[in-house]
Amino acid sequence: MKSLAVLAAAAAPLASALSLSVASTGGNATITTNQYGLLFEEIYNSGDGGLYGELIRNRAFQGGNINGVATLDRTTDYWTAVNGVTLAIDTSTPAVSTSLPYQMRMDVPTDTTDAVGFYNEGFWGFNIDSTKRYITSFYLRGTYHGVVNCYFQDALTGDQLSTVSLEVSQTAGQGWVQHMSATFMPTTTLAYPNVTFYFMFEDGASLAGESLYFNMLSVFKQTYDNRNNGLREDMATALAELGAKWIRLPGGSNMEGPYPPYYWKWNATIGSLLNRPGRPGVWGDINTDGFGILEQLQMTIDLGLEVVLAVWDGLYINDSIISEADIDPYVDQALNLLEFLLGDTSTTYGALRKSLGYSNPFTISYVEIGNEDNISNGESSYKAYRYMAFYTAIRALYPDLPLVSTINPAPSGLTGIDGTIDLHIYENEATFVNLFNTFDQASRKYPVFVGEYAAIRTGSHTSGQVGVQTFGMACAEAIFLLGCERNADVIIGTAYGALFKEYNEEPGTVAVMKHTANEILYSMSYYVQQLFGANVGTQTLPVTATGAGFGPVYWSAVLNADGQTVLKMVNYAGTTNPVTVTIEGSTATSATLYVMSAPSSASVNNLSGLGGTTSNITTSTLTGTAGTFSVPFTSGYQIVVLVV
Ligand SMILES: *[C@@H]1O[C@H](CO)[C@@H](O)[C@H](O)[C@H]1NC(C)=O
Ligand SMILES: *[C@@H]1O[C@H](CO)[C@@H](O)[C@H](O)[C@H]1NC(C)=O
Ligand SMILES: *[C@@H]1O[C@H](CO)[C@@H](O)[C@H](O)[C@H]1NC(C)=O
Ligand SMILES: *[C@@H]1O[C@H](CO)[C@@H](O)[C@H](O)[C@H]1NC(C)=O
Ligand SMILES: *[C@@H]1O[C@H](CO)[C@@H](O)[C@H](O)[C@H]1NC(C)=O
Ligand SMILES: *[C@@H]1O[C@H](CO)[C@@H](O)[C@H](O)[C@H]1NC(C)=O
Ligand SMILES: *[C@@H]1O[C@H](CO)[C@@H](O)[C@H](O)[C@H]1NC(C)=O
């Protein structure tokens, strides 16, 4: 009995052992370079308070957030008075600009003798790094002749962390004057963000009984590539290291706008910051639009990303829809935007672009008409007139520019490149595993961007927690991505929704990365996209399996640009049996093996103080015999990339 049992136990893995034989030719799809992409929109301080380098919160009194809803009610939120002054929203004239009609007024008590001023809290604090340059500036109206000291202060110890002074000499009659500091470096580096930024008027006595007016108060830390009005360096670096190839911008639901008339208007996001009124976003925050269309496109240049440009098409999130009779001016706005980005400098908007420092036209790879038009009650109008109004007008002027429908199938019987669609898939983990073969059956008439996807719940849960991003969920997403790769003849590319969220504001929903003032949390999904993005192919390769079919191990093979064979495998709730891989026609005896693992399927990555990064990607050399390799799986959940 005993020896029989041993025999049976030894035989079982053999019987079910998986062998994969990867052909060197004969795949059915050429893979676009665009398999891995990004979605950028303003969501939970992804831009303001995130990628956009401005560190002052509520810098121009454009509105705020009440109970999670963006509001145009102006407040002095995030500002605190120092030494007895009072701060108030003020609308006296002149305003600093017609776009920014609200300013902050500081009233100084008549008995003042000390320095007076105020401080800002930043976006959940400030990052203090003694190796980086910072700069501050503000617009002032009123009479003051003296020094303004601007500095960071540790909110926990009260220590002053930097010093810079501005000499101000102006009278009320001069109206608004901008003051800009020299660059300065903090005296220390802080490991925590609990810091405020002070604007202190040294000669408080001279201001006794007077008022001063402020707008566009700003602090930037040195930005990615040292761009003016540029990107937060660590976040842009994280994006660069993700290695994606394209980005859809400026949204996303946020482009649609919460209700009339607050859709995303390109021409309100360009030029002087004083000419950008901002607007209520759909995700609860006011958008300053400091991270405007040109700043976003500069980012795509700096990061080498192709652009999928979304244009507003008459649908608001609150179901308001522009009627057919009224749609033309909105079509014109989309055409104006395209002329602004693509037009010769002899055109009206091409000349405007040039005047803003961009002589050369940008490159736009796709234009997507709207966002999620099959919800917000948009489906019937999209099919009846909205899609074709934009499609026809853009096609007439840009015959080669591919257009993307947000509804599946594309309206009006369009197919081929003209029938390109954007699908958004938010499902639970179990569904993502099952989506592995969903595109095997997809119509080949409609090329697909999976413009947003994310596993948002563990297991097969259909309600409850949507924020946890476990390793099991990341494995499920990886399986889905293998299905996309196998069907690269119809799947142009994929992007996870959302890209960034501020951790303090939105700890509980998914993002590729979450940031605080000081730190970036790289989700498990970030590492999956990075690993797969670094191992894209140029064409698919057929794989013949023996011993088992798909599940618990899933796979996909491609040929890469260097002529190497790349086999991606995901073990999902499997065993630790090795998989025998044969690369047909190869005599290689060594291969590179990348393995992403985590302690368990329930593991998550978190901020450093909350458990930190638990996922791990190792790179090693695997030895084989004449093109055959035994690929080990050391745990039931693992993502493996073999490059031969
Ligand atoms: C420090 O700042 C963080 C982020 O705003 C906050 O969560 C935390 O409570 C602060 N710590 C202290 C001791 O105030
Ligand atoms: C959307 O909001 C606008 C402005 O508040 C309102 O007039 C309109 O009725 C709303 N639309 C719908 C369909 O609720
Ligand atoms: C943007 O363009 C629209 C339509 O041409 C116009 O109504 C609006 O005033 C412009 N907005 C700004 C801020 O220039
Ligand atoms: C919108 O399209 C998506 C993707 O095809 C689909 O899952 C969803 O059910 C559709 N929603 C509506 C309201 O039609
Ligand atoms: C290409 O192969 C994949 C994987 O076997 C399959 O799902 C897909 O349908 C094939 N595409 C075509 C156009 O035959
Ligand atoms: C990070 O840790 C906090 C505190 O333990 C927890 O509430 C949160 O859910 C964790 N984040 C993730 C993504 O699990
Ligand atoms: C990743 O795993 C390797 C091998 O087990 C180990 O040596 C390394 O320290 C791990 N790295 C991290 C960041 O956990």
Side-chain angles (χ1 to χ4, degrees):
M1 285 301 286
K2 195 178 177 190
S3 57
L4 251 181
V6 169
L7 263 182
L14 275 182
S16 65
L18 174 63
S19 296
L20 300 177
S21 186
V22 184
S24 53
T25 58
N28 68 10
T30 298
I31 303 172
T32 74
T33 54
N34 285 331
Q35 265 206 312
Y36 299 98
L38 310 167
L39 159 66
F40 175 78
E41 65 172 330
E42 281 285 357
I43 177 169
Y44 303 127
N45 295 110
S46 60
D48 289 330
L51 259 181
Y52 178 48
E54 176 63 77
L55 301 181
I56 295 286
R57 193 168 188 184
N58 197 15
R59 70 179 179 185
F61 316 102
Q62 288 160 293
N65 170 328
I66 296 181
N67 300 326
V69 178
T71 170
L72 286 165
D73 290 350
R74 318 299 166 122
T75 68
T76 58
D77 287 355
Y78 314 109
W79 295 98
T80 301
V82 179
N83 284 349
V85 299
T86 55
L87 302 176
I89 291 295
D90 179 276
T91 55
S92 65
T93 55
V96 74
S97 69
T98 51
S99 294
L100 300 176
Y102 296 81
Q103 56 254 349
M104 183 166 76
R105 191 183 71 238
M106 176 176 80
D107 298 323
V108 184
T110 50
D111 57 356
T112 293
T113 53
D114 288 342
V116 291
F118 42 79
Y119 66 80
N120 187 269
E121 291 166 29
F123 293 89
W124 294 271
F126 294 87
N127 173 261
I128 302 302
D129 183 340
S130 66
T131 68
K132 302 291 181 181
R133 288 173 283 107
Y134 294 69
I135 193 165
T136 183
S137 62
F138 57 87
Y139 283 81
L140 174 68
R141 172 158 69 84
T143 300
Y144 183 68
H145 302 279
V147 169
V148 185
N149 292 310
C150 303
Y151 53 88
F152 290 113
Q153 181 168 308
D154 186 321
L156 305 183
T157 64
D159 292 345
Q160 189 174 324
L161 304 169
S162 64
T163 317
V164 77
S165 297
L166 293 82
E167 281 285 349
V168 169
S169 184
Q170 72 177 78
T171 59
Q174 285 175 264
W176 291 91
V177 179
Q178 188 185 23
H179 300 279
M180 189 169 294
S181 76
T183 59
F184 59 95
M185 295 168 96
T187 51
T188 186
T189 295
L190 273 196
Y192 48 85
N194 306 69
V195 172
T196 51
F197 190 81
Y198 280 72
F199 296 86
M200 292 299 292
F201 289 72
E202 202 171 77
D203 188 0
S206 75
L207 291 171
E210 303 295 325
S211 297
L212 293 178
Y213 303 84
F214 300 89
N215 215 328
M216 196 54 75
L217 299 114
S218 174
V219 175
F220 271 77
K221 184 182 170 189
Q222 94 188 42
T223 58
Y224 188 73
D225 278 357
N226 292 311
R227 297 275 173 216
N228 185 32
N229 204 38
L231 303 179
R232 188 173 133 175
E233 200 175 26
D234 59 340
M235 291 176 69
T237 302
L239 265 189
E241 290 173 355
L242 181 50
K245 292 292 185 290
W246 58 273
I247 188 165
R248 179 165 61 111
L249 51 79
S253 302
N254 192 56
M255 178 189 67
E256 294 178 55
Y259 47 82
Y262 299 112
Y263 66 95
W264 180 85
K265 297 180 187 66
W266 71 270
N267 60 342
T269 76
I270 59 172
S272 164
L273 295 176
L274 298 185
N275 295 337
R276 306 188 196 185
R279 66 175 179 107
V282 311
W283 298 107
D285 292 303
I286 275 292
N287 294 180
T288 69
D289 287 329
F291 193 39
I293 186 66
L294 288 177
E295 287 83 9
Q296 292 182 28
L297 288 178
Q298 182 64 55
M299 170 178 77
T300 69
I301 293 170
D302 291 345
L303 299 180
L305 295 165
E306 284 189 35
V307 178
V308 177
L309 178 76
V311 295
W312 193 72
D313 70 348
L315 178 68
Y316 291 95
I317 286 286
N318 85 336
D319 295 8
S320 274
I321 298 169
I322 304 296
S323 71
E324 187 167 10
D326 293 336
I327 199 80
D328 288 352
Y330 301 96
V331 174
D332 288 344
Q333 284 186 31
L335 295 179
N336 293 346
L337 169 57
L338 290 174
E339 185 177 288
F340 179 66
L341 299 178
L342 303 175
D344 190 84
T345 54
S346 64
T347 62
T348 305
Y349 294 105
L352 176 60
R353 181 191 71 239
K354 184 182 178 192
S355 76
L356 296 171
Y358 292 87
S359 297
N360 295 327
F362 295 97
T363 301
I364 303 294
S365 298
Y366 289 83
V367 172
E368 181 156 336
I369 297 172
N371 176 67
E372 295 185 345
D373 289 271
N374 69 336
I375 55 176
S376 306
N377 204 26
E379 187 172 354
S380 61
S381 58
Y382 195 74
K383 290 179 175 164
Y385 63 89
R386 288 193 296 117
Y387 186 76
M388 287 314 290
F390 287 83
Y391 177 93
T392 308
I394 296 171
R395 178 58 67 249
L397 292 176
Y398 304 92
D400 300 324
L401 191 52
L403 303 174
V404 182
S405 160
T406 73
I407 283 190
N408 177 23
S412 302
L414 295 169
T415 59
I417 192 74
D418 276 348
T420 303
I421 56 177
D422 175 5
L423 301 181
H424 295 178
I425 305 175
Y426 294 101
E427 299 287 353
N428 62 33
E429 176 180 349
T431 303
F432 263 86
V433 175
N434 291 332
L435 285 173
F436 171 71
N437 61 5
T438 191
F439 294 120
D440 294 4
Q441 295 85 38
S443 165
R444 266 43 199 174
K445 291 194 289 187
Y446 308 104
V448 173
F449 276 104
V450 180
E452 300 181 25
Y453 73 87
I456 57 170
R457 292 186 177 88
T458 53
S460 51
H461 290 285
T462 53
S463 63
Q465 169 72 284
V466 294
V468 71
Q469 294 177 274
T470 65
F471 186 51
M473 294 163 86
C475 287
E477 290 165 358
I479 291 166
F480 167 74
L481 293 173
L482 294 183
C484 293
E485 183 178 270
R486 275 158 45 84
N487 289 282
D489 60 308
V490 68
I491 307 298
I492 303 169
T494 57
Y496 189 100
L499 179 54
F500 282 111
K501 290 176 183 171
E502 208 286 339
Y503 182 87
N504 295 285
E505 175 160 11
E506 192 67 10
T509 58
V510 302
V512 183
M513 287 169 271
K514 292 183 188 164
H515 59 283
T516 65
N518 261 30
E519 199 182 342
I520 296 171
L521 187 173
Y522 299 84
S523 71
M524 300 269 176
S525 302
Y526 176 95
Y527 291 109
V528 170
Q529 292 165 53
Q530 186 183 49
L531 179 61
F532 281 10
N535 288 286
V536 286
T538 54
Q539 63 186 80
T540 58
L541 291 175
V543 180
T544 307
T546 50
F550 292 119
V553 176
Y554 298 80
W555 61 85
S556 168
V558 296
L559 192 67
N560 75 13
D562 298 329
Q564 295 167 303
T565 298
V566 178
L567 177 67
K568 302 185 179 78
M569 291 184 274
V570 180
N571 193 15
Y572 184 84
T575 63
T576 55
N577 291 339
V579 175
T580 304
V581 176
T582 301
I583 310 298
E584 293 171 20
S586 167
T587 56
T589 55
S590 84
T592 304
L593 185 69
Y594 302 96
V595 179
M596 178 171 172
S597 53
S600 82
S601 64
S603 299
V604 298
N605 288 345
N606 212 326
L607 294 171
S608 55
L610 300 173
T613 300
T614 63
S615 65
N616 188 352
I617 297 179
T618 58
T619 306
S620 60
T621 300
L622 188 67
T623 303
T625 315
T628 295
F629 299 87
S630 178
V631 178
F633 280 101
T634 54
S635 87
Y637 287 82
Q638 222 157 20
I639 301 172
V640 166
V641 180
L642 181 75
V643 182
V644 185

